[in-house]
Amino acid sequence: MAPTSASAFEYAPAPESRSVVDIAPSYGLFIDGEFTEAADGKVFKTVSPSTEEVLSEIAQAGEADVDRAVQAARKAFEKWSALPGSERAKYLFRIARIIQERSRELAVLETLDNGKPIKETRDADLPLVAAHFFYYAGWADKLEYAGFGRRTTNGHSGANPQPLGVAGQVIPWNFPLLMLAWKIAPALATGNTVVLKPAETTPLSALFFADICRQAGLPKGVVNILPGYGDSGAALVAHPDVNKVAFTGSTAVGKEIARTVAGTRKKVTLELGGKGANIVFDDAPIDQAVEGIVTGIFFNQGQVCCAGSRLLVQESIQDELLDSLKRRLSTLRLGDPLDKNTDIGAINSAEQLARITTLVEQGEAEGAERWSPSCELPSSGYWFAPTLFTNVTQAHTIARDEIFGPVLSVLTFRTPEEAVAKANNSQYGLSAGIWTEKGSRILAVASKLRAGVIWSNTFNKFDPTSPFGGYKESGYGREGGRHGLEAYLDV
C-alpha cells in the first residue's frame, strides 16, 4: 500500500501478468545436462515472500548429489577447456541473447521468488545479467591479452593463463540471477566448468537458467545447478575435486569457508557483508543526494551487501537534508512486488524479517530515534516499512552491524577528515558514496576511504566492465571487469 501522508493522488494498480512464466509443481537437480531427483529423495518448498504462497517443490541436494555433479563437471572440463575461446564465446553470446529474449519471464519469476519489485528485476537485474554474459563472451578469445603475469614484446601475457578446473559457486538470495551471472559468465569464458548452489529461498531462476543452458546447446556437465541448504554448500566447498570456490553471502559463512579451504590448493573469492557510508557534504545538490540516499538503502529493500546503510551528513545541512529525505520517503509505495508502481517490495524470508526487527528494536533500546513514513503493511507476506534512525552514534549496534534491510542510520560530521574517519570506522569495507560539487574533494576523500567501490554523486550503479569486491570483513578477490577473470585462471 502507498503511504497515506503526502499523497497528491492515488496510483491505480498496474500488476505485471504472472501468465508469462510457467512454474512447474516440482523441479529436480540439474546434473550433467539433465534434471534428476536427489539421491536421498529429499525435497523442500520455495515460497513467494509477498504472499507466502508455495511456488514449487524443489529437490534438495545432498553430499552424494554434490559428488555426482562435481564428477560431471570434471568430465566435461576436458572438452570444454580444450575448445578455442572463440567457440566458448559463441555459447556465452547465445546464453546472453536467450536471457534477453526471456527477460520478461525471468523478471516476473525473480519477483515472485525473491519479493523485490518488478521494476527492479525488469529494469536493473535482467539487463545486467545479459550484459555480464555479453561482456565475458567478448573476453573468451582474448585471455592472453588480459595482462596477467609477465608481458612480452608482442603484447601477449607471458603467463599463458589456463583454466583452473571445476568451480564450486555458492550464491545468495538477494540477487539470485545476477549473482549467478557474476559467477558463471567469467568461469565459462575462461574454460572452467561449474557446480552452482543457489540460495534455498530463491532456487527458481537458477533452475530456469539450467533450461537456458540446454536451450543454448551448452555441452552436458559444463553447468550443474544444485538447490539445497547450507550443508549442500558446505559439501561443495569441501569437495576435494573442486579447484575454485566463489561465495557471496554473510561474513560468518565466508569465514567458515576460508577455514574449510585453508591448507588446500583451492583458489577462493569471498564477497561478504557491508556497512557502506554515504557521505553528503554541505555543497551537495540536496534533491540529487536524497535520490541517491533512497537508491542506496531502499533499493531491493536494503537487502544489498553494498547498501549505503550509514548516512554521514555534514552538520550544517542535517536539518534541511532530513526534511527533504522524510518527504521523499513519504512518497515511496510499498506493496505487491508485481505492481509496476511499487517501490518497496517484500523482505525475502521470515528469518530475515526477524533479524531486521530485532536489530531495529535494539537501535531503539540503545537510544536512537526511529522514524518511518505512515504506510499500511499487507496482512500476508514478510514486510518492513522504510525506516531511518537519527541521534545515532558510532557506538550504536545499528551503526556497526549489517542489518540487510530498509533501515538507514544517520550520523553527522563537521570536516572531511571526520567524515573519512567515521566512514572507515567499520569492520567492513565494501562500498561508499560521496556527494559534493567539488571534483577535487571527491578525489581527495575517495583516496582515503577503505572501500572496494566508491560512487561519486550516485549510488548502486553497476557495470560488468568494473571490478567489485571489498576489504576487511567484506571479503577478498574481485568480480567483474578484467579483474574478475583472474580468479578463474592459473596465471
Side-chain angles (χ1 to χ4, degrees), residues 292-347:
I293 293 162
V294 170
T295 299
I297 185 58
F298 300 114
F299 177 69
N300 196 20
Q301 295 71 253
Q303 297 168 141
V304 185
C305 49
C306 56
S309 52
R310 288 183 297 151
L311 174 60
L312 302 182
V313 55
Q314 197 149 13
E315 205 172 84
S316 58
I317 60 164
Q318 180 191 12
D319 292 344
E320 182 186 359
L321 183 78
L322 285 179
D323 287 346
S324 182
L325 180 59
K326 286 179 179 179
R327 282 196 304 273
R328 180 67 180 92
L329 294 189
S330 296
T331 68
L332 294 179
R333 295 176 295 278
L334 180 148
D336 179 8
L338 279 174
D339 192 312
K340 302 179 191 76
N341 294 322
T342 295
D343 299 301
I344 305 286
I347 302 301

Side-chain angles (χ1 to χ4, degrees), residues 214-343:
R214 293 206 299 191
Q215 191 180 345
L218 192 71
K220 291 184 176 184
V222 173
V223 169
N224 304 272
I225 308 288
L226 297 182
Y229 286 81
D231 57 340
S232 310
L236 178 58
V237 167
H239 197 286
D241 207 21
V242 165
N243 306 101
K244 161 78 172 87
V245 173
F247 172 74
T248 297
S250 72
T251 294
V253 175
K255 289 179 177 179
E256 199 175 310
I257 288 172
R259 285 190 288 268
T260 299
V261 301
T264 71
R265 293 175 61 86
K266 294 175 184 176
K267 227 175 177 181
V268 187
T269 48
L270 300 174
E271 196 263 281
L272 309 176
K275 194 71 180 175
N278 212 354
I279 306 168
V280 183
F281 286 94
D282 56 7
D283 62 338
I286 295 293
D287 290 343
Q288 184 183 341
V290 164
E291 290 305 311
I293 293 162
V294 170
T295 299
I297 185 58
F298 300 114
F299 177 69
N300 196 20
Q301 295 71 253
Q303 297 168 141
V304 185
C305 49
C306 56
S309 52
R310 288 183 297 151
L311 174 60
L312 302 182
V313 55
Q314 197 149 13
E315 205 172 84
S316 58
I317 60 164
Q318 180 191 12
D319 292 344
E320 182 186 359
L321 183 78
L322 285 179
D323 287 346
S324 182
L325 180 59
K326 286 179 179 179
R327 282 196 304 273
R328 180 67 180 92
L329 294 189
S330 296
T331 68
L332 294 179
R333 295 176 295 278
L334 180 148
D336 179 8
L338 279 174
D339 192 312
K340 302 179 191 76
N341 294 322
T342 295
D343 299 301

